[in-house]
Amino acid sequence: MTIAAKLLLEASQEELHHQTKEWIDDVEFYSEELNFLNGLIIKKIDTRTTIDLDHKEIYRNIDALLFKLSDDLLAKLYSHEKLLAKIILTGSLQDNRTYRLDHITFSKKMKTLALGIKEFKKALFTYLKNNSFEFSMDYLIQEIDS
């Protein structure tokens, strides 16, 4: 068992509650971020670039997968938080090892999700950097100035 897992097994109710709330906030933010990136993929990669079409399909699939993962994880975190509230009301957290083990599992899932989103964004932005949209700012500036 890792040190982090041992610490979670010994954490107070308040610490578990705070961490779960942070995870919910993080996953809600990831969902908003994925919606934005999905829009970017649809609007920019599909219509503005003509090379590497297979690569674009991969990005759409990764985005869909991460979005589903964050939605599924969010629903489970809400249930986890409700269970914690029930356990706190009954005062049985110290005896509820299953809840704490579930919390450790969520901790691992959150790390996996954060890493997946980071890698996805890195790959997406590298792709966009290397595949311009063929948009001329000079032309636009000249039109505005005239």
Side-chain angles (χ1 to χ4, degrees), residues 22 36 56 58 89 99 136-137:
E22 282 184 348
F36 170 78
K56 290 184 261 188
I58 290 168
L89 287 174
Y99 179 86
S136 172
M137 280 299 275

Side-chain angles (χ1 to χ4, degrees), residues 7-145:
L7 290 174
L8 284 176
L9 285 174
E10 299 169 1
S12 71
Q13 296 171 353
E14 292 79 16
E15 291 170 323
L16 296 175
H17 174 72
H18 178 73
Q19 188 171 43
T20 304
K21 289 287 194 184
E22 282 184 348
W23 290 339
I24 289 170
D25 288 344
D26 288 347
V27 174
E28 287 174 344
F29 178 78
Y30 293 153
S31 293
E32 290 176 19
E33 193 172 39
L34 290 173
N35 278 329
F36 170 78
L37 291 174
N38 188 50
L40 179 66
I41 289 168
I42 290 168
K43 291 177 185 173
K44 302 297 182 191
I45 292 179
D46 265 353
T47 60
R48 304 289 180 152
T49 60
T50 57
I51 59 171
D52 204 11
L53 296 176
D54 291 335
H55 203 108
K56 290 184 261 188
E57 188 62 31
I58 290 168
Y59 283 117
R60 283 195 297 274
N61 290 334
I62 291 171
D63 181 64
L65 174 66
L66 289 172
F67 187 74
K68 178 176 179 349
L69 176 61
S70 68
D71 275 357
D72 183 51
L73 187 57
L74 188 59
K76 289 178 181 176
L77 284 170
Y78 281 130
S79 295
H80 186 68
E81 180 60 20
K82 286 179 185 177
L83 179 58
L84 177 59
K86 181 180 176 183
I87 290 170
I88 289 172
L89 287 174
T90 61
S92 62
L93 185 60
Q94 297 305 322
D95 300 327
N96 196 326
R97 186 169 173 84
T98 302
Y99 179 86
R100 289 179 181 271
L101 293 175
D102 287 347
H103 199 83
I104 292 168
T105 300
F106 281 119
S107 177
K108 292 174 185 174
K109 288 183 181 197
M110 286 301 301
K111 288 176 185 169
T112 300
L113 178 61
L115 180 63
I117 289 175
K118 178 182 175 182
E119 292 299 315
F120 169 67
K121 289 189 304 187
K122 185 195 280 184
L124 176 62
F125 293 134
T126 298
Y127 178 82
L128 293 173
K129 178 179 159 189
N130 295 331
N131 297 281
S132 68
F133 299 136
E134 300 175 16
F135 180 76
S136 172
M137 280 299 275
D138 293 336
Y139 171 76
L140 181 62
I141 292 171
Q142 288 173 353
E143 287 296 315
I144 293 172
D145 287 341

